Amino acid sequence: MSERKQLTRRQRAAIEDLFTGEMTEPEVLAKHNVSAALYDRWLNDEAFCECFERRVARAYREARLTLARHAPKAAKTLIDLTKCQKEETARRACLDIVAPPTAPDPAVKTPGRTEPDPAAELPPETATRLLAALAQ
């Protein structure tokens, strides 16, 4: 059985800067004096890719947690916006309540999450009546 390859200090530092700083990928590579060819070799390295993908997954988990933490406040704000004097703002808030603009990333596995039922979508006439009721 082969021993698992460890990342170098420079690889770990580059990954850390990619995920924690405000620098772009080229800026991080320049900071750590990593050429495009070397970075390509790193991206073909199993240990580097595994660490990189774990950090990507962690970043997405953190983002989902932040969104979930603020969802009640966002929902309340949307409800308040349905009563806005500006008709367009109220209309858009109603639309966002009825059909949220973004759905969870289907590639991200969430325990206990079921797939959406296409038959559960609102027919256009029902959505229209709901929007009219919310707008009043």
Side-chain angles (χ1 to χ4, degrees):
M1 195 153 116
S2 65
E3 196 171 303
R4 184 170 182 85
K5 181 184 171 225
Q6 297 295 314
L7 296 181
T8 66
R9 186 177 306 157
R10 186 162 63 155
Q11 286 175 320
R12 288 191 309 269
I15 286 176
E16 189 66 24
D17 282 345
L18 284 168
F19 287 94
T20 59
E22 296 295 320
M23 292 182 283
T24 65
E25 186 178 61
E27 290 170 339
V28 169
L29 298 179
K31 174 184 175 183
H32 295 283
N33 197 27
V34 176
S35 68
L38 177 58
Y39 189 54
D40 286 342
R41 284 195 303 271
W42 285 3
L43 291 173
N44 286 318
D45 177 78
E46 186 179 329
F48 183 84
C49 283
E50 190 176 300
C51 181
F52 186 90
E53 291 303 323
R54 275 196 314 271
R55 290 301 297 262
V56 168
R58 184 186 313 162
Y60 274 101
R61 274 193 312 275
E62 288 174 10
R64 285 193 354 253
L65 179 59
T66 299
L67 289 172
R69 187 178 299 129
H70 295 286
K73 182 179 179 184
K76 183 185 178 321
T77 301
L78 267 179
I79 297 297
D80 291 344
L81 285 173
T82 64
K83 300 169 191 151
C84 182
Q85 296 300 316
K86 296 179 181 174
E87 285 185 27
E88 182 62 15
T89 300
R91 185 186 73 75
R92 286 184 181 190
C94 290
L95 285 172
D96 285 346
I97 291 168
V98 174
T102 59
D105 183 354
V108 177
K109 302 281 189 235
T110 304
R113 188 175 95 192
T114 58
E115 294 301 316
D117 179 7
E121 291 184 20
L122 292 174
E125 44 297 331
T126 305
T128 303
R129 284 186 303 212
L130 248 173
L131 288 174
L134 284 170
Q136 291 177 355

